[in-house]
Amino acid sequence: MVKHVLNQLLEPDLDLVFHALADPGRRSMVERLSEGPASVSELGLPLAMSLAAVVQHVQVLEASGLVLSHKVGRTRTCRINPAVLRSAEHWITQRRARWERTLDRLGEYLAENEGEGQ
Amino acid sequence: MVKHVLNQLLEPDLDLVFHALADPGRRSMVERLSEGPASVSELGLPLAMSLAAVVQHVQVLEASGLVLSHKVGRTRTCRINPAVLRSAEHWITQRRARWERTLDRLGEYLAENEGEGQ
DNA sequence: TAGTTAGTAAAGCAATTGCTTGACTAACAA
DNA sequence: TTGTTAGTCAAGCAATTGCTTTACTAACTA
């Protein structure tokens, strides 16, 4: 379990990361955290759900590695982990770049062999 | 229903996009498609599941706007929609950039007020 | 000390996922 | 024409999600 979490710091699990980002409430939390650290209740403030539900969303974000937290007194303060955000970004960038190279090659091919339509 | 799909071409639904990317099978399909168009069965080739299941995954990808397809004869050919990939990328980039500006401001603040630890 | 606040844990529940199988259609091949 | 291939549709089913409520603990406040 601990090892699991450590592994994610080294190499994020994209299943967990994208799943975490697939929920509008969790994205709003990431959005809020991108402006600076916040407590669990602060994150839930705009969300019209019980605190227990907010806690569960935060747990999903932490399990993905997108969010880190530490508890002082009775309040848990969360902050963003940019490395994991970056790894999701990177995966997408790579696929898109690959596709755009493919498109370029197709363009060259079509330029060389004029005449064929769609 | 048609309108739904059209809206996604104008402004992608990130819930659907990130959810589509949260599955390893579907990511493998996007990966494959980044190297060029492919049929539904080709996409399913490395996936150890029934063709019906593959079709369902392709439907999830299409509903998200990440993948476009057209049918010729009995084969449906799929290709990537880079615009939607880019919009997911963009959302992440923005949050990360925002957080990094926040970090920078914190760095300046700490540089100006030396002496305080964590 | 008594009361409030911040968060957790657990159980329960309806809705959604990610498959399966089986029946079917249309297109291509021999 | 007969068979095979590519894909689709519909049920059905176990596992997972995204909440809820209740009960609880620990920490701060008056």
Side-chain angles (χ1 to χ4, degrees), chain A residues 31-80:
Chain A
E31 200 127 9
R32 166 65 187 79
L33 289 175
S34 73
E35 305 188 346
S39 71
V40 171
S41 350
E42 275 178 302
L43 292 178
L45 225 52
L47 286 189
M49 66 179 67
S50 71
L51 180 59
V54 174
V55 168
Q56 286 167 23
H57 280 299
V58 169
Q59 282 165 356
V60 169
L61 287 168
E62 280 210 72
S64 77
L66 279 168
V67 163
L68 304 169
S69 78
H70 65 282
K71 202 168 175 176
V72 171
R74 57 183 170 165
T75 84
R76 174 173 300 280
T77 302
C78 304
R79 65 191 166 86
I80 262 193

Side-chain angles (χ1 to χ4, degrees), chain B residues 7 19 22 28 35 75 77 89 93 105 108:
Chain B
N7 279 340
H19 172 250
S28 113
E35 304 186 348
T75 84
T77 301
E89 198 181 351
T93 307
R105 280 202 317 278
E108 287 167 22

Side-chain angles (χ1 to χ4, degrees), chain A residues 7-8 13 15 28 31 38 50 52 56 60 67-68 70 73-76 78 87 99 102 104 106 114 116:
Chain A
N7 279 341
Q8 289 168 36
D13 180 332
D15 284 26
S28 112
E31 200 127 9
S50 71
Q56 286 167 23
V60 169
V67 163
L68 304 169
H70 65 282
R74 57 183 170 165
T75 84
R76 174 173 300 280
C78 304
S87 79
W99 169 246
T102 303
D104 287 350
L106 180 63
E114 298 282 338
E116 273 73 7

Side-chain angles (χ1 to χ4, degrees), chain B residues 83-99:
Chain B
V84 171
L85 217 40
R86 190 153 31 226
S87 80
E89 198 181 351
H90 184 249
W91 188 90
I92 300 178
T93 307
Q94 292 304 303
R95 306 318 134 198
R96 193 175 51 74
R98 179 83 179 77
W99 169 246

